[in-house]
Amino acid sequence: EAGVAQSPRYKIIEKRQSVAFWCNPISGHATLYWYQQILGQGPKLLIQFQNNGVVDDSQLPKDRFSAERLKGVDSTLKIQPAKLEDSAVYLCASSLRLATDTQYFGPGTRLTVL
Amino acid sequence: SQQGEEDPQALSIQEGENATMNCSYKTSINNLQWYRQNSGRGLVHLILIRSNEREKHSGRLRVTLDTSKKSSSLLITASRAADTASYFCATDITGRTPLVFGKGTRLSVIA
């Protein structure tokens, strides 16, 4: 079974630039999550999708972050414009159904904002 | 907001020794999960313990849950160098809300 795929693995941008991350969850997984993990901390949920609908985006900085999950499969997370404090690893995870199911994580995208 | 807090923040042991990590949380939970993260990688689910369970085993892992003290512990027996990683507890409050992760314990197993 293929795992959660993410790209790119690394990205370096200047502040005020835009960046987009892509995630392909495990086939058949209805729930998809985007997390932000700042160095030395645990992952913080940014947004959760159930199929192609948003379940929770309460911690997503909506003035600069946006995410979509077209057709309930792949997802993209965008930051526009980026700030220095956005430097982090962005993790995508998926689970079969509910938030309580085991979550399967991708390798993450390490973003550095200069 | 951080629901779970792992303790200690860092732990260094010799190969073959046991490693114990603790997690304390603030509100009642539906279940508690432990994840491992190797350096530069995503998280890997280790074990889930429900609020009505007190102990679970999986291979060399043993997890306990004390809901009266709002705490959990993860024991890794006969540790190996490959166990070197960060370990996170994550709490699920209602069964429908997102998991909330702690800051993690960084475990180093020295060969």
Side-chain angles (χ1 to χ4, degrees):
Chain A
E1 177 183 83
V4 176
Q6 289 188 249
S7 67
R9 290 296 312 276
Y10 305 92
K11 191 74 177 178
I12 300 174
I13 61 173
E14 302 274 334
K15 60 182 178 183
R16 290 188 289 273
Q17 285 188 324
S18 302
V19 65
F21 313 128
W22 173 81
C23 172
N24 180 238
I26 292 173
S27 178
H29 279 196
T31 311
L32 184 147
Y33 317 79
W34 282 102
Y35 290 89
Q36 179 192 60
Q37 186 177 23
I38 293 172
L39 187 64
Q41 298 188 20
K44 182 185 84 171
L45 181 72
L46 293 175
I47 188 167
Q48 176 187 341
F49 292 93
Q50 185 80 9
N51 297 308
N52 60 350
V54 175
V55 174
D56 189 316
D57 64 355
S58 57
Q59 298 193 88
L60 186 74
K62 297 180 186 64
D63 57 335
R64 297 183 302 105
F65 286 64
S66 64
E68 61 181 6
R69 190 182 184 197
L70 298 175
K71 300 179 182 178
V73 182
D74 293 7
S75 178
T76 55
L77 176 69
K78 296 179 182 177
I79 308 176
Q80 180 179 8
K83 293 185 175 181
L84 296 176
E85 58 261 35
D86 298 332
S87 293
V89 175
Y90 290 85
L91 295 163
C92 178
S94 70
S95 65
L96 196 57
R97 297 177 306 268
L98 301 170
T100 54
D101 282 349
T102 297
Q103 294 186 23
Y104 296 85
F105 283 78
T109 296
R110 182 176 298 278
L111 174 67
T112 302
V113 182
L114 302 175
Chain B
S1 62
Q2 218 85 39
Q3 157 77 321
E5 288 284 337
E6 291 90 344
D7 170 60
Q9 289 187 351
L11 179 62
S12 184
I13 59 173
Q14 296 288 327
E15 203 167 32
E17 293 181 337
N18 296 340
T20 299
M21 288 156 271
N22 303 297
C23 171
S24 59
Y25 54 91
K26 299 173 184 173
T27 62
S28 296
I29 60 172
N30 183 55
N31 68 55
L32 184 145
Q33 303 181 30
W34 285 92
Y35 285 79
R36 182 188 74 228
Q37 185 177 36
N38 291 88
S39 181
R41 303 271 183 101
L43 281 76
V44 174
H45 181 264
L46 295 176
I47 200 162
L48 180 154
I49 187 165
R50 302 191 188 283
S51 59
N52 62 352
E53 297 175 315
R54 292 297 167 260
E55 188 171 313
K56 277 189 98 167
H57 297 256
S58 177
R60 294 184 295 114
L61 306 180
R62 173 178 166 252
V63 168
T64 62
L65 179 65
D66 187 334
T67 53
S68 66
K69 295 181 179 177
K70 293 187 171 59
S71 67
S72 173
S73 67
L74 170 66
L75 169 68
I76 304 174
T77 59
S79 63
R80 306 167 182 167
D83 295 327
T84 295
S86 291
Y87 291 82
F88 296 89
C89 68
T91 51
D92 163 43
I93 297 173
T94 68
R96 298 190 65 81
T97 51
L99 291 179
V100 180
F101 287 81
K103 292 184 178 181
T105 291
R106 197 167 56 253
L107 173 66
S108 297
V109 181
I110 302 165

